[in-house]
Amino acid sequence: MTLRFIARCVRGLEWVLAAEVADLGQIGDPWMAERQMSFCLPQPDGRVLGLRTADDLLLDIGTSTGIGPTRAALPGISRCVDQLDIPGAVAHLRAFRPLPEAPRFDVVASLLGRRNYNRYAVEDAAGNAIVSVFGGRYVSRGTETAGARQAADTDLTFRLFLHGPDMQVAVRIPGRPLHRREWKLATGPGTLHPPVAAALACIATRPQDVVAGDPLCGDGTIPIELALAYPDLRVLAADLDMERLASARANAARAKALVGLARIDAGYPAWRPGSVDLVISNPPWNRSVSAAGILAHTLDPLWDHWPTILSPRGRVCVVADAKLDMVTRLRRRGYEIALAQAIRLAGRVSDILLATPPGAAQADLPASLERWRNHAIEIGVLAPGGF
């Protein structure tokens, strides 16, 4: 028995996800594409549910071809679904989590290319076909708002990806997308997508690190992901906003993550000189969230005093709106840029930057990440620094 999995991710982070998948060991036929990594395992393996840089995890059921762009293709979509082993796929899913005998399910379709039918027509054609070969109860989304509310209570979600004449059919393995962390209930404006925070941790953290800090932690997403991924790392976090700090405390408690939290104005050096190996943060860029305190008018004090709190091997890893051109800003202050990687999240382009302050040892990517990033560039999934 061989199972094929599809792990979905934020655009620009395919290489980070690929490295995490490779760490599972014994994967077969790995294949990287835009926003996803697919791979095979010889049997169900619960470790796949722990992929922290993945947005979603699906079991690949099969791909059909010959799907045309006109409404005449809709009956063909039903026939293609009829030929797939839907019952077998659901049986494999039961190895990962319990399911009722006759599960309620919904269908989500993604369409690329010009067509004269919409996603809802595809979803209904596939959903009714699944009922005929498998049973269960199909919940139509109908419209984005009302349908999404109905689908929130389903037991299964089938995903359809239509690319030109091809239609790939898959089913979600967990009960909800992996990016929806159970601990992240307290949130505010500009809160960071957890898989991005997990990717920052993979990119920036090194085995010799003792202390890592986020002086602008907001709801605590970055420090919590750090603490969960690296239990031996001492993780410090701070924020000036009492409400966001309370959210961070509540989220950390739910996650059972050991994070030291304090109320600090990040415009001052947050921790003792030379005491931190890594500063990792998503600062308020005065877009969805405005800076406060000393940083209300400019974030320049951050770049000026961060070198003072970093150890000789210290590094800085931040997420920045691409329009801010943080590469130029940091270089003007003597920072060496080890990585500048564009990502697309919620329709906006941001940069992930890994840098070392003046006088610090050069920061390199871990070998596995460097290898997968080079592979992504070689096959055209990424361009150097972008996509």
Side-chain angles (χ1 to χ4, degrees), residues 10-13 34 192 196 282 285 287 318-326 340-353 382-387:
V10 166
R11 183 71 176 103
L13 293 179
E34 183 177 318
L192 189 62
V196 174
N282 175 33
W285 301 106
R287 297 294 199 267
V318 297
V319 185
D321 190 294
K323 294 179 181 179
L324 296 173
D325 190 15
M326 283 306 303
Q341 175 62 59
I343 63 171
R344 181 179 289 113
L345 182 61
R348 296 178 63 174
V349 177
S350 297
D351 290 325
I352 290 178
L353 302 176
L382 293 181
F387 40 77

Side-chain angles (χ1 to χ4, degrees), residues 40 42 85 91 100 106 110 117 131 155 157 191 199 226 232 235 253 259 261 275 296-297 303 315-317 322 350:
C40 292
D85 185 12
D106 62 308
S110 300
Y117 50 83
V131 170
D155 305 301
T157 295
T191 194
L226 266 175
D232 294 332
V235 180
V259 177
L261 288 157
S275 65
H297 302 295
W303 330 125
R315 299 168 307 288
V316 168
C317 188
S350 297

Side-chain angles (χ1 to χ4, degrees), residues 31 84 94 136-137 179 195 212 353:
W31 183 70
L84 298 174
R94 295 182 190 277
R137 178 185 169 192
H179 70 83
L353 302 176

Side-chain angles (χ1 to χ4, degrees), residues 32-290:
M32 188 192 305
E34 183 177 318
R35 288 203 64 202
Q36 74 178 45
M37 176 75 177
S38 62
F39 57 98
C40 292
L41 289 173
Q43 59 188 7
D45 187 336
R47 292 180 302 159
V48 295
L49 296 175
L51 292 172
R52 305 199 68 82
T53 61
D55 276 7
D56 210 351
L57 182 68
L58 310 167
L59 182 64
D60 190 358
I61 302 175
T63 299
S64 301
T65 193
I67 308 300
T70 69
R71 292 190 64 82
L74 295 176
I77 290 173
S78 299
R79 287 192 294 271
C80 290
V81 171
D82 286 342
Q83 296 168 8
L84 298 174
D85 185 12
I86 302 291
V90 175
H92 290 315
L93 220 60
R94 295 182 190 277
F96 292 95
R97 60 185 175 97
L99 290 169
E101 270 307 306
R104 298 172 74 252
F105 69 90
D106 62 308
V107 179
V108 179
S110 300
L111 281 59
L112 287 180
R114 178 173 291 183
R115 304 169 192 272
N116 66 1
Y117 50 83
N118 61 27
R119 55 172 284 197
Y120 303 116
V122 173
E123 291 167 0
D124 287 345
N128 292 325
I130 290 171
V131 170
S132 68
V133 298
F134 166 65
R137 178 185 169 192
Y138 169 53
V139 178
S140 175
R141 288 178 172 260
T143 64
E144 189 64 39
T145 52
R149 285 196 297 270
Q150 294 177 37
D153 296 326
T154 56
D155 305 301
L156 290 173
T157 295
F158 290 88
R159 290 296 308 267
L160 274 58
F161 302 96
L162 276 69
H163 308 268
D166 298 329
M167 181 179 72
Q168 184 179 32
V169 181
V171 61
R172 177 175 292 135
I173 296 174
R176 60 182 187 173
L178 289 182
H179 70 83
R180 293 183 185 171
R181 307 294 204 246
E182 292 184 357
W183 53 262
K184 191 165 183 180
L185 299 181
T187 63
T191 194
L192 189 62
H193 193 58
V196 174
L200 293 177
C202 293
I203 290 168
T205 310
R206 302 293 179 268
Q208 66 270 28
D209 289 341
V210 177
V211 180
D214 181 356
L216 300 133
C217 71
D219 302 314
T221 311
I222 290 176
I224 290 170
E225 289 292 333
L226 266 175
L228 293 175
Y230 303 95
D232 294 332
L233 184 66
R234 185 184 177 200
V235 180
L236 305 176
D239 206 279
L240 183 60
D241 187 326
M242 290 291 288
E243 185 175 345
R244 302 302 286 272
L245 204 56
S247 294
R249 287 197 178 95
N251 288 332
R254 274 188 291 269
K256 295 181 172 58
L258 189 59
V259 177
L261 288 157
R263 185 171 187 254
I264 293 174
D265 187 329
Y268 296 104
W271 298 291
R272 289 184 296 104
S275 65
V276 177
D277 300 307
L278 169 64
V279 172
I280 178 169
S281 192
N282 175 33
W285 301 106
N286 297 317
R287 297 294 199 267
S288 57
V289 177
S290 296

